[in-house]
Structure formats: structure tokens, C-alpha cells
Amino acid sequence: MTGPRNVAVLGATGSIGRSTLDVIARHPHRFRAFALTAHSRSDELFELCVAHRPALAVLADEAQARVLRGRVAASGLPTEVLAGAQGLIAAAEHPEVACVMAAIVGAAGLAPTLAAARAGKKLLLANKEALVMAGPIFMAAVRTSGATLLPIDSEHNAIFQCLPERARGGVAGCGVRKIVLTGSGGPFRTRPLAGLAHVTPAEACAHPTWSMGRKISVDSATMMNKALEIIEAHWLFGAPASAIEILVHPQSVVHSMVEYADGSVIAQLGNPDMRTPIAQALAYPDRVDAGVASLDLARLAALTFEAPDFDRFRALALAYDVLAAGGTAPAIFNAANEVAVGAFLAGELAFPRITEVIEATLERVGADAVGRLEDVIEADARARSAAGVALGRAIVRTA
Ligand code: NAD
Ligand code: MG
């Protein structure tokens, strides 16, 4: 009998990180929280260290890591504390870690997530931005190292479950007609367009069906989240853009589906609770309790579907343009969004301008081929500076 499997949770203090720790704590004989990482909140990470007693804790912020190290030492916890970008990578590729939950938000997660892929870990991918930015490099790293890549994004986890094993690394030649990504449409699906100029960050973050971090909540409100997921599905399942469709489904119960050449459609359903895909991937190929209630379809009574509104949600159309452009275009797309969402959350940018800033950045920064990781990192930097300029113009126009 082997002991519990060591898990590194990158982004442990976030929404996905905490849901992961909830599932781990339900199965102490199967899983152990071996390493926990966070950005700068030493108090929150300290509390998680007390609750889960990891061997390793990492804070990206060096000064806060020193604070944490002092508190950990004073409490007699068995936890080594590391700091900075190198500390995050050390947690991701630690030889005693079998499984890595990549749940840092945004481009900040690229280096440690890629390190886990290169180290051949069982890699649970929530950090979609890392894959969107560096798709070809990321997938090549997984193939070369033999890492097991399991999607956590609920849609991609659903598709993974709806595909036969041989199609999971690439659907070509497997009789798949299309992949249908469902999306709730977010909090502003039916809101009159004229009212969107004045929505607040709190309104944008109040998602109707999912409880998530602030950045992805805003992405859901613009449907940029679904746009990133189109690109994510393209890389994960080797599907051409023409075989990836979006379907609006406000109840978030059908998490996505696969249509086959013979007309069969296979869907995965469940309550909107991220502990389901997290538990599916952590235990894969077994099944374990995730703490999620049974789906009560009789009580729900009706599930509804509608076509996406490509005029209201410009980001969806942009995603297909970005995939057609290829190369560094997805990294530019992602970086511009991160800058615009940051400004919106800081109260500096009106909601409808988020997508305008992204579009202006795509027009200004040309896409190049991707050969090395440096190409992606350079494109990300150029896009951030161009988005900064677009942001300045958008703010002046609004004022
Ligand atoms: P969150 O904001 O709740 O948590 C983010 C985590 O990343 C925190 O632990 C934070 O400390 C850490 N972090 C942030 N910036 C960092 C930096 N510069 N360096 C190191 N660590 C940093 O976010 P979340 O909602 O949990 O989302 C995490 C990822 O999972 C995102 O990529 C998101 O798109 C994806 N995802 C989330 C959900 C969800 O339900 N929340 C669903 C699908 C996919
Ligand atoms: Mg999703």
C-alpha cells in the first residue's frame, strides 16, 4: 500500500486553490497537500499551512515570504518557506510532488505551470491563460516529458469525460464532428447595452451560477472567458476552430458536449461546483466524493439554450480571428485582456471599453511566429505596453 499522493497547489489561496484543498482534505489517505503557493497574502497562506501542514509553502512576494517564514518558525510547523518566481518553479517541479494543481491566475502562472509540464507531472490545468499564451510550446513539453494533462476548466473537463481515451490527445480521425462549449452568458446577458457603461466591478463579479475569482468573473461578463476557452480547447484536443462551437446555457448544468459523426451528442452534467472537475482529475481514473450535492433535474425542471450574441460579446468573434492569425496572437489577446480587466477592476475603465482595448491592441501589435518561449514573453510585454496606450485613450474618451 503506497501513501497519499503528494499534491502541489499553485494558487492555493484562490477560488480553485481552496476548492482543491477542500477535496484533498476529504481524502487524507489518497492525497496530501505537499506544497502550497500564493502571491502575497502571508496571513492567508499561514492559515492554510496551519490547516494542511504542507512540507513547502511559497510566496511570490519576497518580503511577505519573510513574514511567513517567521510565523511558521514560531509555530513549529514542518513547513519550509521559499520565495519568488524560483520558489514557485521549485514547488511545481519538486521531486516528491506527483501532482500539480496549476491555479495561479493569468500570465503569472506560465513559468511554474510550464515547469510542471516539463517535469512530467500529473498536471491539473486551471490556469487557462498559460495554455492560451504558449499553446504549441506547452503541448510539446507535455508530449516530451510524458506529463499527464488533465483539464480543470469545467467545459474542458466535461469534454475530456465525453471523449474516448484515444481522442483525448487529439480528436482528428476519431469521428468527432464538433465540440460544443457551453457558457452561462454571465451577469449581463440580457442587460440593455446602454446600461453597461456604468456597471461596477462588484456587479460584474456577481456571477449568476459560479463563484470564482475576480478576474475570471469579469472575463465571464465580457465572455472573454469563453473566448479564451475556444483557444484552450483548440490546444487541448487538437480541434480546428471550425469544429469548436459556443452555446449559451444560463443554468450552467450541461458543462459542455461532443457531437459525433453519427449524430450522437454526449454531454457531461452536474451542479456548477468546481470541486467536481477537481475531484475527477485528482482521482483520475478513479472516482471520489467531492462534497457536491446530487443534481436534482426534477427541481431544476428546465434547461435552456440559446445562440451566442456575437455583437454583444465581441470577444467571441475575436477569438476565432486570433486562432486564424496564430503565432503570438493568442498571447497578445490574453495580455491585452489582463491589462483591461485590471483597469476595470481598479475603477479606471468602463466595462464596454474592455473589449475595445483588446481589439485596439490586436490591431496595433502584429502577431509573429512562435518558436521559443521568449517569443511569447516578448509578445506579452509588447501587448501590455500597447494595451496601456489604448487604455489611456479609452479613459480620456470616457472622462
Ligand atoms: P483567484 O484570483 O481566486 O486566485 C488566484 C491565485 O493565484 C491566488 O492564490 C493568488 O495568490 C495567486 N496569484 C495571483 N497572482 C499571482 C502571481 N503574480 N504570482 C503568484 N501567484 C499569484 O483565481 P481563481 O478564480 O481561483 O482562478 C485561478 C485560475 O483558474 C485562472 O486561470 C482561472 O481562469 C482558472 N479557472 C477558475 C475557475 C473558477 O471557478 N474560479 C474555473 C475555471 C478556470
Ligand atoms: Mg470554464
Side-chain angles (χ1 to χ4, degrees):
M1 169 81 194
T2 53
R5 181 178 268 258
N6 284 336
V7 183
V9 184
L10 312 182
T13 53
S15 166
I16 293 286
R18 287 176 185 279
S19 291
T20 304
L21 289 171
D22 179 281
V23 176
I24 288 174
R26 288 169 194 275
H27 305 282
H29 299 294
R30 278 181 177 267
F31 313 119
R32 171 182 175 215
F34 182 90
L36 303 180
T37 86
H39 182 220
S40 57
R41 298 218 170 117
S42 60
D43 48 344
E44 286 188 25
L45 192 55
F46 176 72
E47 279 166 29
L48 293 179
C49 288
V50 171
H52 299 277
R53 304 180 67 81
L56 186 61
V58 185
L59 278 173
D61 184 295
E62 311 256 354
Q64 286 302 312
R66 282 193 289 280
V67 174
L68 179 67
R69 197 172 290 127
R71 290 189 73 183
V72 161
S75 332
L77 286 167
T79 308
E80 181 189 357
V81 177
L82 297 179
Q86 281 310 315
L88 297 175
I89 290 173
E93 60 188 21
H94 195 289
E96 287 182 60
V97 164
C99 174
V100 174
M101 165 57 82
I104 293 173
V105 60
L110 176 60
T113 304
L114 192 56
R118 287 180 171 153
K121 303 296 186 193
K122 173 170 173 174
L123 176 54
L124 279 49
L125 183 73
N127 181 202
K128 68 190 86 183
E129 297 92 344
L131 182 61
V132 166
M133 290 173 76
I137 291 169
F138 196 91
M139 296 311 287
V142 168
R143 275 193 300 275
T144 306
S145 70
T148 304
L149 183 58
L150 297 167
I152 294 300
D153 217 347
S154 58
E155 298 76 7
H156 306 74
N157 182 273
I159 292 158
F160 180 90
Q161 295 192 55
C162 295
L163 288 172
E165 204 175 329
R166 70 189 174 92
R168 284 173 182 166
V171 297
C174 296
V176 171
R177 190 182 278 165
K178 63 185 179 194
I179 283 171
V180 181
L181 296 174
T182 55
S184 69
F188 306 139
R189 180 174 57 93
T190 56
R191 180 92 56 112
L193 285 176
L196 291 184
H198 304 292
V199 298
T200 63
E203 286 175 279
C205 289
H207 196 275
T209 51
W210 294 98
S211 159
M212 308 184 286
R214 283 161 66 79
K215 189 260 180 185
I216 186 176
S217 296
V218 177
D219 287 352
S220 297
T222 55
M223 284 197 88
M224 181 65 182
N225 183 47
K226 214 50 55 186
L228 296 173
E229 289 180 359
I230 293 169
I231 302 170
E232 183 185 11
H234 167 71
W235 289 117
L236 282 175
F237 305 114
S242 58
I244 304 171
E245 278 186 18
I246 303 299
L247 181 64
V248 173
H249 168 46
Q251 297 82 19
S252 304
V253 166
V254 177
H255 295 311
S256 278
M257 38 197 150
V258 177
E259 182 179 320
Y260 288 90
D262 59 10
S264 295
V265 178
I266 301 188
Q268 185 261 356
L269 284 70
N271 284 318
D273 186 324
M274 288 307 291
R275 290 177 301 175
T276 294
I278 290 167
Q280 187 276 338
L282 268 177
Y284 181 77
D286 293 347
R287 295 279 182 174
V288 297
D289 172 37
V292 177
S294 281
L295 179 62
D296 188 345
L297 284 173
R299 190 182 56 79
L300 275 165
L303 298 179
T304 60
F305 302 92
E306 54 196 70
D309 181 342
F310 281 82
D311 294 326
R312 176 181 286 261
F313 298 112
R314 277 282 302 149
L316 293 177
L318 292 178
Y320 289 101
D321 296 346
V322 159
L323 267 182
T328 55
I332 297 164
F333 189 46
N334 176 70
N337 180 55
E338 289 192 25
V339 170
V341 171
F344 169 71
L345 284 172
E348 294 163 1
L349 186 70
F351 179 81
R353 302 249 186 258
I354 296 174
T355 317
E356 288 179 22
V357 167
I358 298 169
E359 199 162 3
T361 307
L362 284 169
E363 277 165 20
R364 183 172 276 261
V365 185
D368 297 317
V370 170
R372 307 159 308 145
L373 186 61
E374 287 70 27
D375 301 330
V376 171
I377 292 168
E378 277 165 24
D380 175 88
R382 274 191 292 129
R384 279 171 203 269
S385 97
V389 174
L391 200 66
R393 291 212 183 95
I395 291 169
V396 169
R397 265 192 294 139
T398 312

